[in-house]
Amino acid sequence: MLMAETDTLLDLLRRRGVSRRGFLKFCAATASMLALPPSMAPAIAEALGKARRPSVIWLSFQECTGCTESLTRSHSPTLENLIFSAISLDYHETLQAAAGTAAEAAREEAMKNNRGKYLVIVDGSVPMGDGGVYSTVAGKSNIEILKETAAGAAAIVCVGTCSSYGGIPYAQPNPTGAVPVSEIITDKPIVKVPGCPPIPVVITGVLAHYLTFKSLPDLDELGRPLAFFGETIHDRCYRRPFYDQGKFAKSFDDEGARNGWCLFELGCKGPTTHNACATTKWNQGTSFPVESGHGCLGCSEPNFWDAGSFYKAVSVPTEPTRIVAGVAAAAGVAAGAAMAVHNRRKKAVAAAGHQKASVEDLEKKS
Amino acid sequence: MWSANCWRGGPVSELDRIGVAVVDGTEDGRSGHVAALLREIESLLRSLVERDEGGSIDLRSLPLTENDLVQLEEALGEGEVAAQVDSLGFSRVWETAVSGVWWVSHENEEGEVIGEFIEVTYCPEILITPTEDVKESWQALRARLLESEYGKTMGDAHGGD
């Protein structure tokens, strides 16, 4: 990544052989991705074209590297990696060539040279138990590194459910005392891009927004960008009409499943899960879990791991589905929202009980 | 001329190999959004005629089914202009049978559709040569000619520089 500090995104892309038409197309797709009106594309082109590459420090704490995999395994060249290459990634333990003292020196230099201007991306939760001893880098605990790095940051982007809400390390009984970043850093703007892993284009969408508007996108009450988390999986699910008609798969191999009916009764968390999977999809737009015949796990919601069995707790109501769903079908979206509230309440109850899935749940042979 | 329909599909068609029937839940696979879209297009056309201001509609921002898109294509028809831009993957652009209403579909190099728009305009922006490109190409061609044997006469005729 040897590029002049003064390089703009357009300079960079031009050197890579991207034409101005290609750039305009890239901006049209970016506007679409950010849920902005298409008329914004020229303004985005103007702003993005002049954008300087921001310094980014990526901190990995208690995590599985799935978030980095999600972003870097996209086939080249995609919108994601065009934007990703537009940043100056000055520190990333998995991706950087430097190791040991040299790696830490790179982080310190980036912090010093770009104080108040750099972005910090965090994946993984922060273990607070026993003085933070459960996860350390270069002899420093994650808490120390986070506090030290966040102090000079312009903003923090939490990538993945672990850094956003604690994720799997935070699940009961949380042996390491894991917490999300927002419980430690309270004086910096924080954007949360949850998902296990998050959709790559959502990660880069936040970066594109920052590069274009020099500000962070509008967020929902859980700190997630509204452009991507404004609707539930259920809102945009292609199986939604079956839900409205009360047609549900009762097991993974019944007639309903073969007909592609709604997976609500099989535990789909689509109605309570805000994410963009149903529209952006996965694997170069191939599909998303519901399209492959499995319900949504709700991985972009807080405490998804403790919200009861993936196969029953939230989504198999104690009342017969046809009654609740029948009301939803009759009264439309408002009742759908009522169902979501109903399920959210059930989720809280299930979370308290920490229900586990059994083989019977999976096979639905009760 | 290629048909608009044959472009659609891409990686999604791989789902056919999986033994799950993906059936659309609506009776005819249509959500009913196309009628509203056509009204919006009519309103944009009117604006283009009366105020010289068109506009675009981001088709991917709407919950359209595959059949909706087919219905929209059928409603708009195919006009007499079709073009393809080869930059960061193909962009297919064609004028519909409703003059001034263009269908613009951007793909990445994997063939995945990354943007799909209805543009109501005299000519979509993506087809117009950027001013900077014209300046650069003029300078490049001029430099090439000046280096060649034609350069002398060119320099004489225009005073050279």
Side-chain angles (χ1 to χ4, degrees):
Chain A
M1 289 203 190
L2 283 176
M3 269 158 283
E5 286 290 314
T6 52
D7 268 354
T8 64
L9 177 55
L10 185 57
D11 292 336
L12 178 72
L13 295 179
R14 293 280 290 151
R15 263 209 304 282
R16 291 185 173 197
V18 175
S19 70
R20 289 192 174 87
R21 277 199 187 93
F23 185 64
L24 184 66
K25 166 175 165 174
F26 164 84
C27 293
T30 302
S32 176
M33 173 180 76
L34 295 172
L36 296 169
S39 55
M40 286 288 287
I44 292 176
E46 175 79 14
L48 262 188
K50 288 180 188 162
R52 307 276 175 220
R53 304 169 67 234
S55 170
V56 173
I57 296 176
W58 185 308
L59 302 175
S60 297
F61 297 144
Q62 277 194 139
E63 49 85 40
C64 66
T65 314
C67 300
T68 297
E69 288 284 329
S70 169
L71 186 56
T72 55
R73 295 289 175 186
S74 302
H75 285 194
S76 165
T78 59
L79 193 61
E80 295 92 285
N81 57 34
L82 274 176
I83 293 172
F84 196 49
S85 61
I87 61 173
S88 174
L89 189 59
D90 293 327
Y91 181 86
H92 187 304
E93 287 158 19
T94 312
L95 300 179
Q96 70 193 142
T101 313
E104 294 311 304
R107 180 172 65 90
E108 282 156 19
E109 195 183 328
M111 284 162 56
K112 197 175 116 198
N113 295 343
N114 306 288
R115 192 158 185 85
K117 289 187 286 185
Y118 61 86
L119 282 179
V120 175
I121 297 181
V122 183
D123 64 338
S125 62
V126 185
M128 301 289 277
D130 298 319
V133 73
Y134 297 110
S135 179
T136 62
V137 178
K140 285 184 182 174
S141 71
N142 290 169
I143 315 158
E144 280 179 82
I145 297 174
L146 176 62
K147 284 184 177 169
E148 185 182 300
T149 314
I156 298 174
V157 182
C158 290
V159 165
T161 303
C162 294
S163 58
S164 299
Y165 307 124
I168 292 172
Y170 185 76
Q172 292 175 32
N174 190 0
T176 64
V179 297
V181 167
S182 54
E183 280 195 23
I184 299 170
I185 306 299
T186 51
D187 59 346
K188 295 283 173 184
I190 297 180
V191 180
K192 297 180 177 183
V193 184
C196 194
I199 301 171
V201 83
V202 179
I203 305 174
T204 48
V206 173
L207 296 176
H209 191 285
Y210 183 74
L211 286 170
T212 307
F213 300 104
K214 308 279 182 293
S215 67
L216 296 171
D218 290 338
L219 308 176
D220 69 5
E221 75 277 13
L222 291 171
R224 305 173 291 198
L226 274 169
F228 300 101
F229 295 90
E231 291 175 300
T232 65
I233 298 293
H234 188 63
D235 289 336
R236 298 297 295 266
C237 182
Y238 74 101
R239 296 196 191 210
R240 172 65 186 263
F242 291 121
Y243 171 90
D244 293 339
Q245 293 162 22
K247 290 179 177 171
F248 299 96
K250 307 282 184 186
S251 78
F252 285 107
D253 58 356
D254 72 354
E255 191 61 25
R258 277 191 287 279
N259 286 335
W261 289 354
C262 179
L263 300 168
F264 184 85
E265 291 195 3
L266 290 173
C268 181
K269 307 293 185 288
T272 52
T273 303
H274 292 78
N275 208 341
C277 303
T279 44
T280 61
K281 304 197 176 179
W282 286 88
N283 300 318
Q284 282 71 56
T286 304
S287 64
F288 71 112
V290 172
E291 213 166 341
S292 306
H294 194 287
C296 165
L297 301 183
C299 74
S300 57
E301 294 293 324
N303 305 317
F304 84 100
W305 202 256
D306 285 328
S309 161
F310 290 146
Y311 300 97
K312 61 176 181 185
V314 171
S315 300
V316 181
T318 45
E319 304 88 342
T321 307
R322 63 180 182 282
I323 298 173
V324 187
V327 173
V333 180
M339 180 70 98
V341 171
H342 169 84
N343 284 329
R344 222 173 282 140
R345 206 177 306 125
K346 287 188 67 63
K347 189 157 100 172
V349 173
H354 186 47
Q355 297 175 23
K356 291 175 181 167
S358 64
V359 174
E360 285 70 31
D361 290 334
L362 302 184
E363 297 184 346
K364 284 283 164 190
K365 286 178 182 167
S366 50
Chain B
M1 188 189 293
W2 8 256
S3 147
N5 278 336
C6 70
W7 298 342
R8 195 153 289 117
V12 177
S13 61
E14 298 285 310
L15 279 179
D16 298 343
R17 296 185 196 164
I18 303 173
V20 174
V22 178
V23 185
D24 203 292
T26 53
E27 241 166 58
D28 54 0
R30 295 174 177 183
S31 66
H33 290 125
V34 170
L37 259 178
L38 289 171
R39 283 178 194 278
E40 188 176 351
I41 292 168
E42 186 273 331
S43 151
L44 288 173
L45 261 180
R46 178 181 169 173
S47 163
L48 185 64
V49 170
E50 292 180 354
R51 299 196 298 278
D52 204 24
E53 256 177 44
S56 356
I57 300 166
D58 181 355
L59 294 177
R60 282 160 61 92
S61 70
L62 305 169
L64 300 175
T65 64
E66 279 293 303
N67 283 358
D68 285 340
L69 289 169
V70 171
Q71 189 191 358
L72 184 62
E73 278 170 9
E74 284 170 0
L76 294 173
E78 281 187 48
E80 51 192 18
V81 183
Q84 179 171 288
V85 180
D86 184 4
S87 180
L88 290 177
F90 290 119
S91 289
R92 328 270 187 181
V93 184
W94 70 97
E95 191 173 30
T96 68
V98 183
S99 295
V101 178
W102 298 76
W103 197 300
V104 180
S105 177
H106 297 308
E107 291 174 9
N108 63 16
E109 292 191 343
E110 306 292 320
E112 180 194 346
V113 176
I114 56 168
E116 194 153 36
F117 305 91
I118 293 292
E119 291 197 17
V120 179
T121 175
Y122 291 102
C123 182
E125 188 85 13
I126 192 87
L127 295 184
I128 300 170
T129 311
T131 315
E132 297 88 340
D133 282 358
V134 179
K135 277 185 202 159
E136 283 172 18
S137 65
W138 167 58
Q139 284 160 357
L141 181 61
R142 185 177 168 81
R144 234 167 70 200
L145 288 175
L146 284 171
E147 279 172 21
S148 72
E149 56 182 296
Y150 306 110
K152 288 172 196 159
T153 48
M154 208 178 149
D156 293 345
H158 298 284
D161 54 3

